[in-house]
Amino acid sequence: MGLSLSILVTGAKGFIGKNLVAELKNQGNISINECDVDTTPAELEAYCQVATFVYHLAGVNRPQNNTEYMTGNSGFTAALLAMLQKHNNNCPIVFASSAQAALSNPYGQSKKAAEDLFLAHSLATDAKVMVYRLPNVFGKWCRPHYNSAVATFCHNIARSLPITINDPSTELNLVYIDDVVAEFVRALHGQANIQNNYCVVPTTHHITLGALADLLYSFRDSRVSLTVPNLSDALTRKLYATYLSFLPESDLSYSLKINSDERGSFTEFVRTVGQGQFSVNITKPGITKGNHWHHTKHEKFMVVSGSGIIRLRVVGTDAVTSCHVRGDSLQVVEIPPGYTHNIENLGESDLVTLMWASEPFDKDKPDTYMARV
């Protein structure tokens, strides 16, 4: 992509704008002119004169009175298009409209009026205009208590503040900010997804307010259960990333329960849904830990500090397999089912081992049986 590409982004400091600008900067070799409420008319006109592509994201969502909808959405759009036409600039334009443009409320009417202005501009100048009627957009950097229930719920639940749900069965139609940005970048390259004269973000999600709240509360509680959500589900993965972005900075770290004795310690780190458990095991010098086996559970050990030996023996046989392990030479030792096993610290410092087990520990069904190697 050449240096001749000059992109104008209106609403650059807003939720979608901030995410889009950040990704455009990752693209490289692009000149980006960011327009927001603090941009002067003269600066905006200069941007319009040189723009080779425009993202029009600026708009009003929560004005003090309804008349500001038209001023902020339709009025500003008219001013933007007038500046482009003044300089005979017929560059392509992406307009972030709203699904509410199909409705008769003041906000929707102002967005529809802006859409009509873009249609007229396209007919008059032959400029390519791509209108996206976006549903509810969620993701990092969204403003809570503004226009996103997801942002508000994430913000409040992360701070143990109450949330309000009038009807738990209300269904939300959602698009994730990264999917929006990816589609906008495709539009920049002439690959917009077009359906029925409008452009669309191809990946959308649906969830009720009640289910959304339950899922977000489970994210909060995961610090106690240590269970990472089922990230194979796309919506869960995106909502979890969003929730984490709303954590107060004072809560970015949290303590774990350390099970310690004179031999060392064992600390569970993460449990997963169907993918096992991660733990950190510390063995003191001269100590041997383990000497047990499992019917079905299997494990992977990786020493990350210190030096030691891992011994394994198939239950009912005599042959012992020994694996010397060191933190300065990372290797994974498989612990298959049916092998009794132990780990001994042969060094003078603590032996630190990262352990993965195929099943989280269940005290009612531990599948753990003592047998010396």
Side-chain angles (χ1 to χ4, degrees):
M1 190 172 295
L3 290 172
S4 60
L5 192 57
S6 177
I7 297 179
L8 167 59
V9 181
T10 71
K13 294 180 181 178
F15 165 44
I16 297 177
K18 185 176 179 180
N19 279 273
L20 175 63
V21 168
E23 179 54 31
L24 290 175
K25 290 179 178 178
N26 290 337
Q27 300 283 314
N29 295 326
I30 296 177
S31 172
I32 305 171
N33 290 314
E34 302 177 36
C35 170
D36 214 274
V37 292
D38 54 354
T39 302
T40 67
E43 289 173 326
L44 177 57
E45 183 167 354
Y47 298 158
C48 288
Q49 185 174 2
V50 300
T52 56
F53 197 98
V54 175
Y55 289 102
H56 183 41
L57 313 179
V60 174
N61 294 315
R62 291 287 183 91
Q64 293 184 349
N65 60 74
N66 287 344
T67 60
E68 295 179 38
Y69 280 123
M70 281 296 179
T71 302
N73 293 324
S74 177
F76 180 71
T77 296
L80 172 68
L81 295 176
M83 290 182 184
L84 290 170
Q85 292 172 10
K86 177 181 177 180
H87 296 286
N88 297 313
N89 190 339
N90 302 333
C91 69
I93 304 172
V94 162
F95 173 46
S97 186
S98 167
Q100 294 193 48
L103 306 178
S104 59
N105 59 60
Y107 175 66
Q109 290 173 338
S110 69
K111 283 294 190 180
K112 180 60 169 63
E115 291 180 2
D116 292 342
L117 289 172
F118 278 111
L119 176 60
H121 173 76
S122 180
L123 292 174
T125 66
D126 203 30
K128 183 178 181 179
V129 173
M130 293 158 278
V131 176
Y132 287 85
R133 285 187 168 181
L134 298 174
N136 297 292
V137 185
F138 72 99
K140 66 182 183 301
W141 303 337
C142 189
R143 180 178 170 185
H145 307 291
Y146 190 57
N147 63 339
S148 169
V150 174
T152 300
F153 284 10
C154 286
H155 175 273
N156 284 20
I157 290 173
R159 290 160 178 77
S160 297
L161 299 173
I163 61 173
T164 300
I165 301 177
N166 294 323
D167 183 359
S169 67
T170 298
E171 186 172 272
L172 298 178
N173 183 21
L174 302 174
V175 288
Y176 184 51
I177 186 60
D178 286 8
D179 294 328
V180 173
V181 168
E183 171 61 22
F184 282 4
V185 172
R186 284 192 292 268
L188 175 65
H189 296 288
Q191 300 170 354
N193 286 280
I194 303 175
Q195 294 181 10
N196 301 321
N197 299 321
Y198 292 96
C199 297
V200 299
V201 178
T203 303
T204 60
H205 303 280
H206 304 273
I207 190 171
T208 65
L209 281 174
L212 171 65
D214 289 343
L215 191 56
L216 296 180
Y217 277 120
S218 76
F219 297 161
R220 183 197 65 182
D221 297 341
S222 68
R223 287 193 171 187
V224 177
S225 68
L226 301 182
T227 301
V228 173
N230 180 12
L231 302 182
S232 64
D233 176 74
L235 178 57
T236 300
R237 182 174 66 253
K238 295 168 185 178
L239 285 171
Y240 188 47
T242 302
Y243 172 80
L244 292 177
S245 74
F246 281 89
L247 287 174
E249 291 183 358
S250 59
D251 287 347
L252 291 179
S253 64
Y254 58 101
S255 299
L256 297 172
K257 180 184 177 183
I258 301 175
N259 302 289
S260 60
D261 57 25
E262 68 281 355
R263 302 174 303 155
S265 65
F266 181 84
T267 305
E268 185 179 343
F269 173 40
V270 164
R271 290 183 171 217
T272 70
V273 179
Q275 301 299 323
Q277 166 185 309
F278 293 85
S279 305
V280 176
N281 184 74
I282 297 178
T283 307
K284 294 294 183 180
I287 295 297
T288 300
K289 298 175 73 173
N291 285 315
H292 60 242
W293 62 280
H294 316 288
H295 275 302
T296 301
K297 184 187 299 184
H298 47 97
E299 300 167 295
K300 297 177 187 289
F301 291 180
M302 184 174 71
V303 168
V304 297
S305 181
S307 62
I309 186 169
I310 297 173
R311 302 182 182 90
L312 306 95
R313 177 178 61 82
V314 175
V315 172
T317 67
D318 297 326
V320 175
T321 299
S322 298
C323 302
H324 289 269
V325 287
R326 298 180 59 88
D328 57 6
S329 178
L330 298 180
Q331 59 179 310
V332 175
V333 178
E334 298 276 11
I335 312 296
Y339 277 80
T340 187
H341 51 278
N342 64 29
I343 183 168
E344 180 182 358
N345 186 346
L346 300 179
E348 298 180 355
S349 61
D350 287 351
L351 182 68
V352 182
T353 308
L354 177 63
M355 296 181 170
W356 172 83
S358 60
E359 303 171 8
F361 179 75
D362 181 354
K363 63 181 179 60
D364 295 324
K365 188 181 178 182
D367 186 16
T368 302
Y369 307 92
M370 304 309 296
R372 296 187 64 83
V373 177

